[in-house]
Amino acid sequence: MSTPHLTNEPWDEHLIRYGMPFVPRLIAKARGTLIWDSEGREILDFTSGQMCATLGHNHPRIVEAIREACEGALHLFSGMLSPPVVALSQRLAGLLPPRLSKSLFLSTGGEANEAALKLAKLHTGNFEVVGYTGSWHGMTSGAQSVNYVAGRQGYGPMMPGSLALPAPNAYHCPVRHCRDACDGTCLEVGFDMVDAQSTGALAAVIAEPVESSGGVIVPPEGYWQKVKQHCDKRGMLLIFDEAQTAFGRLGRDFAFQHFGVEPDILTLSKTLGGGLPLSATIVSEAMEADCHEKGFMHPTSHVSDPLPAQVALAVLDVLAEERLNARALAMGELLAAGLRYLQDKHEIIGDVRGFGLLQGVELVKDRETRAPDVATGRAITSRCMELGLSMNIVSVGVMASMWRIAPPLTVRSEEIDRGIAILDQAITEVLAEGGRAAAE
Ligand SMILES: Cc1ncc(COP(=O)(O)O)c(C=O)c1O
């Protein structure tokens, strides 16, 4: 295999910057929970790439599936179906409740949500869509209109009818009512606001069952049931965006199974392709028939492509064979225990929360006010990278300084121990160097 010849830095001379700083290393290789830079330095990946590599990087079965697809077909005319696509639609229908039986296969999470919003609008005849503060649904216009975590400024109007509900963040109560345990007041206030703003054309609520980029927010018991009741009362559909939460990270195939509420529309992406671009929008037979009747149109260049479908079949096989759902819960407990140990040791860690292998750690200036410590958080994250641990710090939105920690589901316990030890060292060193003051 040949490595492309690279001229010296700056590497980004001919690249558009897209909203997150480039890591100051070139990554040449990735396997399992590890990545290596072009100088051969090993780095533990606690972000699963961009939350997609749940089986670990370059899992042999994914590599094999890509080879198989090369023997078959990679890409076809958008009106053509292939055996992997049909098999994947059948597999998903078998895993999901009977009502969610019709899939559309696209490439990215944003695209799947775009299709979901169009289907919801066509089916209900309405156009208002309610998202959650802190949510992230993609960069295409419709999806971006219901992103409330960041990136709204500077592009003119969002889609007409885009409304927001406050996320049930118990650590930073959005309506300044609760502290540490959400009693659901924010939901009632939120729907009052929605009703006040609505022009009478409510189509759907779109939500991540556990909001990830917005702060790893696990809603309180019974929360999604209440949302569903609010939706039903208003004739709205509930769309769950399970880009990050489906296929094992929370210990089940789908996060909604934990909460006992079935969405009307489900979108899958990131974890379905295990690192290859694949997404799905899934609805009931009745909704599909109604929307087809009404002229639903969403062909894209890569709709129903065989290559990613072949890979997704391998992802689903490996999830079952390696019992990764159970593994995610076990490894998640180990990770959470390590993080709580660090919280006991380091005052800067205000909160540790999460579900399975999706854990969030908030960095605060003091535990009483819970004001985010953005500068120290960034300094520790950089030190982690120097020490060989890749961490994602989310420093936008309300809580504004949080690590979202999500290693692949195949992570080994020694790797979790190593990650915790690096984190401990990085926090200790940065704080000893006068961390906050120096960084600020
Ligand atoms: C919950 C959720 N939905 C949708 C998306 C958008 O996916 P994509 O970047 O593949 O368009 C993301 C991306 O981070 C996400 O986290």
Side-chain angles (χ1 to χ4, degrees), residues 50-51 107-111 113 136-140 208 212-213 241-244 267 269-270 404:
Q50 191 58 38
M51 300 298 287
S107 306
T108 65
E111 271 187 284
N113 288 327
W136 185 282
H137 297 295
M139 289 284 96
T140 50
E208 302 164 66
S212 178
S213 307
D241 172 355
E242 292 228 28
Q244 299 196 15
T267 61
S269 48
K270 296 183 183 281
R404 184 182 62 198

Side-chain angles (χ1 to χ4, degrees), residues 71-260:
E71 299 296 321
L74 298 174
H75 160 81
L76 295 169
F77 171 67
S78 297
M80 287 177 180
L81 297 177
S82 57
V85 165
V86 173
L88 184 59
S89 70
Q90 292 168 348
R91 280 287 282 283
L92 289 177
L95 290 174
L96 284 161
R99 221 164 47 85
L100 292 167
S101 63
K102 292 277 201 174
S103 293
L104 167 69
F105 295 116
L106 298 160
S107 306
T108 65
E111 271 187 284
N113 288 327
E114 207 68 37
L117 297 177
K118 283 167 67 176
L119 286 160
K121 289 175 187 179
L122 208 52
H123 186 57
T124 60
N126 290 332
F127 69 94
E128 289 170 337
V129 180
V130 182
Y132 271 86
T133 55
S135 59
W136 185 282
H137 297 295
M139 289 284 96
T140 50
S141 293
Q144 173 158 7
S145 295
V146 281
N147 274 356
Y148 291 101
V149 70
R152 293 178 73 82
Q153 281 96 34
Y155 311 107
M158 292 285 152
M159 298 292 275
S162 302
L163 304 173
L165 279 170
N169 184 339
Y171 193 68
H172 298 283
C173 174
V175 292
R176 313 291 186 264
H177 172 73
C178 307
R179 195 169 161 95
D180 297 324
C182 173
D183 70 1
T185 299
C186 55
L187 181 63
E188 304 310 318
V189 173
F191 264 104
D192 284 350
M193 298 290 290
V194 164
D195 289 337
Q197 292 171 82
S198 171
T199 60
L202 290 167
V205 166
I206 182 166
E208 302 164 66
V210 170
E211 194 172 86
S212 178
S213 307
V216 186
I217 298 167
V218 183
E221 183 96 24
Y223 181 86
W224 290 120
Q225 275 86 353
K226 285 190 203 150
V227 172
K228 185 79 177 96
Q229 284 163 12
H230 275 294
C231 287
D232 290 347
K233 207 166 108 189
R234 293 163 178 80
M236 302 171 80
L237 303 177
L238 177 61
I239 304 170
F240 272 156
D241 172 355
E242 292 228 28
Q244 299 196 15
T245 53
F247 303 122
R249 188 158 293 291
L250 305 193
R252 302 286 283 264
D253 287 337
F254 307 100
F256 72 77
Q257 294 169 323
H258 281 298
F259 300 108

Side-chain angles (χ1 to χ4, degrees), residues 288-300:
E288 192 274 343
D290 177 56
C291 291
H292 173 69
E293 190 78 4
K294 290 172 176 164
F296 176 64
M297 190 166 180
H298 205 85
T300 69

Side-chain angles (χ1 to χ4, degrees), residues 262-279:
E262 275 177 33
D264 299 292
I265 304 181
L266 175 68
T267 61
L268 306 169
S269 48
K270 296 183 183 281
T271 57
L272 180 61
L276 263 78
L278 177 64
S279 62

